Amino acid sequence: MSEVLIKVVNQESMINLGTVLTNFMYPNLVIAMTGDLGAGKTTFTKGIGIALGIKRVINSPTFTIMKIYEPTINVNNIEKLYHLDVYRLSDSSDDDALSEYFSLDGVSIVEWADIINDLLPDTLWHITIANDGVDSRILTLECDAKTDINKIKETLRSNNYEIINWFFN
């Protein structure tokens, strides 16, 4: 997997990052997200919703496990946005049917993905969000081989995101 570390300075920047990265997403992509409570997982997902033209309010599906959103803008033939929050599950055996949604031509965002790690496909994106102050965050994006990480870096730089080169990415 290719990796990039991105400095996100506030909520608006996190939403915009989701919007920008949507252009690199494709049908059946699973995005496995981890990070502390309040780190910005749902805020990032709101940006994806904006890029897909989703009209409904995107908020955390903690109590429903999953919300399904209908795009009104065609981005790379993505037919749905599946937003899962598996925080309340103890492990994947609590709801192993969730994996069925990973192959229905949508993008699946899985918050607290480590809880259902054994249900996740081999090809996916991993996003980890770490606090870096009151409002700022460091977002680590690990992409699969289908994704051109160099194009992502170029696009992020052109959108004024700071790329952190800890590992000479």
Side-chain angles (χ1 to χ4, degrees):
M1 285 192 139
S2 301
E3 180 179 279
V4 60
L5 281 77
I6 308 153
K7 176 87 169 191
V8 182
V9 295
N10 56 33
Q11 281 192 349
E12 180 182 322
S13 179
M14 184 67 80
I15 290 170
N16 187 58
L17 180 61
T19 303
V20 168
L21 290 178
T22 302
N23 293 310
F24 296 94
M25 296 176 188
Y26 53 86
N28 299 323
L29 174 63
V30 174
I31 302 175
M33 297 190 78
T34 56
D36 291 335
L37 282 170
K41 297 178 293 293
T42 299
T43 303
F44 176 82
T45 304
K46 288 178 183 182
I48 297 168
I50 290 168
L52 294 174
I54 291 169
K55 302 297 183 200
R56 290 177 37 215
V57 173
I58 293 179
N59 52 25
S60 180
T62 301
F63 297 103
T64 58
I65 307 296
M66 180 175 58
K67 293 184 179 180
I68 301 172
Y69 299 97
E70 299 281 339
T72 62
I73 298 172
N74 182 356
V75 178
N76 302 329
N77 298 315
I78 296 167
E79 293 186 9
K80 302 264 195 234
L81 176 62
Y82 302 102
H83 184 198
L84 296 85
D85 184 332
V86 298
Y87 180 77
R88 292 185 34 214
L89 301 180
S90 58
D91 60 40
S92 63
S93 66
D94 287 348
D95 204 336
D96 58 358
L98 292 175
S99 64
E100 294 175 18
Y101 291 92
F102 300 160
S103 59
L104 297 177
D105 292 329
V107 168
S108 298
I109 307 293
V110 184
E111 296 187 26
W112 305 98
D114 50 327
I115 294 171
I116 62 164
N117 199 40
D118 58 319
L119 296 180
L120 300 175
D122 293 334
T123 303
L124 50 67
W125 289 6
H126 283 280
I127 293 179
T128 304
I129 304 173
N131 292 330
D132 187 48
V134 175
D135 292 324
S136 65
R137 307 287 187 259
I138 302 296
L139 186 140
T140 303
L141 170 63
E142 295 176 72
C143 295
D144 57 29
K146 287 180 163 183
T147 306
D148 186 342
I149 196 76
N150 291 320
K151 278 240 190 253
I152 286 178
K153 289 178 185 179
E154 179 182 313
T155 300
L156 291 173
R157 285 186 184 105
S158 71
N159 280 273
N160 299 315
Y161 282 93
E162 180 183 345
I163 305 297
I164 300 169
N165 292 307
W166 295 60
F167 303 105
F168 306 101
N169 294 7

